[in-house]
Amino acid sequence: MTDEFNNLQKLVWEKLDNANRVLINIHVNADLDSIGSALGLRSVLKTMGKNVTVFTPEPIAPEKANRAKQLIGFSEILFSDILDLNLTNYDLFVCLDSDNPGRISRNKALTFPLSVPTLVIDHHHENTRFGETNLVIGHGHCTSEILYRLLLEKGLAVTPEVALCFFMGIITDTDRFRFEGPTSADSYKVAGELIEIGNLDFPRIIWELQSKSNAYLQVMGSSLSQAKEYFSGKALLSKLTWADAIKYGQGPEFIKDIYRVTADTMSDSDSAYVSILIYQLGETLWGISIRSNNPNHAEIDSSLIARKFPKGGGHVHGAGAVANGSLEEVEQLVLKNIQECYPDLGQP
Ligand SMILES: [Mn+2]
């Protein structure tokens, strides 16, 4: 682990030890690292005799919920915006897997410091360190893995239930160890330890994490069939619109379930330097997933392209942004931003 971890882990435990009523968040657009780390930490702190509340600011997408419902404490997750909670009921807010306040709430009125001390534990290198205490390990580790390390430092036993929480977090965030951002040799080691601790049926867990409904495959296929090459094939760009979902009997919300894996599949291109998926979030609101995990073209930094947008950020190999406008306008903006970041790619 990093120097920051070694320097801060004692302070982090001091904060956790001294708190009796702990609030933990699940971030907007929840993933299994967010849910797994929150529920894993909840279980550990409850064993230590603390009152713990885990909340989500929005309902967890059905597909994620289906996978996470087997995790300890899932049924007790509170659905509330943090601004609607009475923060005087808590001694400590542990903010997990969230690099800025916009990940905690969609309400722009949320500003820090809050009336309750905030302990940030995260792995996004762009984390704005908005808490009083911030443990941010910027590369090679996901939040679930950082929490596992914290338990080891403290000498705490990890239960099989907690092992499952963290294992699902690691497998999902690393995209089965493919996604370089949160993956390191430590991720493999920790996953192996968690399998042993929990006696985890890992082939089944991983199959369940990656299995998809037939509609999922059909809508994803509809999106992939629209992929087009730009910059002489150095960029591959596709779209995922409400029309793709509706064509196969799904609603607009379906896009949120499938855009990430569709973007990951685009990044399997054996030749593109960068792959982009523009996915529909509103009538004129678009999410942009950018992937640059082709090891032959490590010079491309997805987060650099994402930061060209007013709302964008992420990791070197995978980043995201949000933009307003018509699909054609957003597409042109994406291509322009790629060209501005990497003029050597030539003309779109
Ligand atoms: Mn994460």
Side-chain angles (χ1 to χ4, degrees):
M1 264 305 199
T2 62
D3 288 346
E4 179 162 2
F5 181 86
N6 294 326
N7 294 337
L8 277 176
Q9 56 96 2
K10 273 209 175 70
L11 180 62
V12 167
W13 273 115
E14 220 172 87
K15 301 286 172 194
L16 291 170
D17 283 336
N18 290 332
N20 287 315
R21 302 167 303 165
V22 181
L23 181 66
I24 303 175
N25 74 310
I26 287 171
H27 64 59
V28 299
N29 200 4
D31 57 32
L32 265 293
D33 188 31
S34 173
I35 303 169
S37 59
L39 294 178
L41 181 62
R42 171 189 179 274
S43 177
V44 170
L45 296 178
K46 278 180 80 75
T47 307
M48 295 168 77
K50 299 173 190 303
N51 281 314
V52 190
T53 302
V54 174
F55 76 96
T56 174
E58 59 191 14
I60 293 165
E63 201 202 60
K64 307 271 169 52
N66 253 334
R67 290 165 176 173
K69 68 185 178 202
Q70 61 185 302
L71 299 180
I72 187 168
F74 181 81
S75 62
E76 287 171 58
I77 294 171
L78 179 69
F79 168 36
S80 171
D81 194 278
I82 191 167
L83 293 172
D84 296 328
L85 295 172
N86 182 357
L87 295 181
T88 60
N89 287 336
Y90 305 98
D91 311 319
L92 181 69
F93 170 40
V94 183
C95 183
L96 297 177
D97 206 36
S98 306
D99 59 359
N100 68 77
R103 299 290 281 163
I104 303 161
S105 170
R106 292 199 187 272
N107 189 332
K108 289 192 168 55
L110 178 66
T111 51
F112 283 79
L114 300 172
S115 55
V116 59
T118 299
L119 164 61
V120 169
I121 302 176
D122 185 31
H123 66 105
H124 297 93
H125 67 88
E126 287 183 323
N127 191 296
T128 55
R129 291 171 162 80
F130 50 91
E132 281 79 16
T133 312
N134 303 284
L135 177 61
V136 180
I137 310 298
H139 193 78
H141 312 273
C142 65
T143 303
S144 295
E145 191 206 315
I146 296 169
L147 291 180
Y148 175 74
R149 296 270 159 189
L150 280 170
L151 299 190
L152 290 193
E153 290 294 335
K154 181 80 170 165
L156 289 173
V158 178
T159 64
E161 292 79 14
V162 172
L164 179 61
C165 289
F166 292 166
F167 184 74
M168 285 179 82
I170 291 172
I171 295 299
T172 311
D173 238 33
T174 64
D175 190 17
R176 288 163 279 147
F177 308 109
R178 294 174 358 131
F179 188 28
E180 196 185 326
T183 313
S184 65
D186 280 345
S187 319
Y188 286 85
K189 283 185 209 157
V190 168
E193 289 171 22
L194 292 170
I195 288 170
E196 287 191 347
I197 292 165
N199 191 23
L200 302 178
D201 183 358
F202 62 90
R204 166 177 281 276
I205 294 166
I206 293 171
W207 180 83
E208 284 175 353
L209 283 173
Q210 64 164 357
S211 63
K212 300 160 186 72
S213 69
N214 293 340
Y216 191 125
L217 295 169
Q218 288 168 318
V219 177
M220 188 161 95
S222 176
S223 169
L224 293 175
S225 71
Q226 299 168 58
K228 271 195 196 152
E229 294 182 335
Y230 293 91
F231 299 100
S232 315
K234 298 181 190 96
L236 188 68
L237 184 148
S238 198
K239 302 138 190 176
L240 174 60
T241 65
W242 288 350
D244 293 310
I246 290 161
K247 193 157 62 171
Y248 292 99
Q250 304 301 314
E253 286 298 304
F254 196 67
I255 302 296
K256 285 186 189 162
D257 284 349
I258 81 160
Y259 81 86
R260 196 181 296 260
V261 175
T262 307
D264 289 343
T265 305
M266 296 270 298
S267 78
D268 285 340
S269 163
D270 66 359
S271 56
Y273 298 15
V274 58
S275 61
I276 307 98
L277 179 71
I278 303 175
Y279 57 96
Q280 191 161 17
L281 291 172
E283 290 287 348
T284 59
L285 184 66
W286 304 88
I288 302 153
S289 268
I290 306 162
R291 298 281 189 273
S292 54
N293 47 321
N294 182 338
N296 296 323
H297 298 287
E299 69 273 19
I300 308 287
D301 178 348
S302 291
S303 69
L304 194 69
I305 300 165
R307 285 200 301 272
K308 281 267 181 190
F309 294 87
K311 276 184 78 176
H315 298 280
V316 172
H317 297 97
V322 175
N324 252 302
S326 71
L327 179 55
E328 291 68 28
E329 285 165 353
V330 172
E331 184 177 352
Q332 289 310 311
L333 189 58
V334 169
L335 296 171
K336 176 172 156 278
N337 287 344
I338 293 173
Q339 195 178 28
E340 280 178 17
C341 290
Y342 298 101
D344 288 355
L345 293 181
Q347 292 300 313

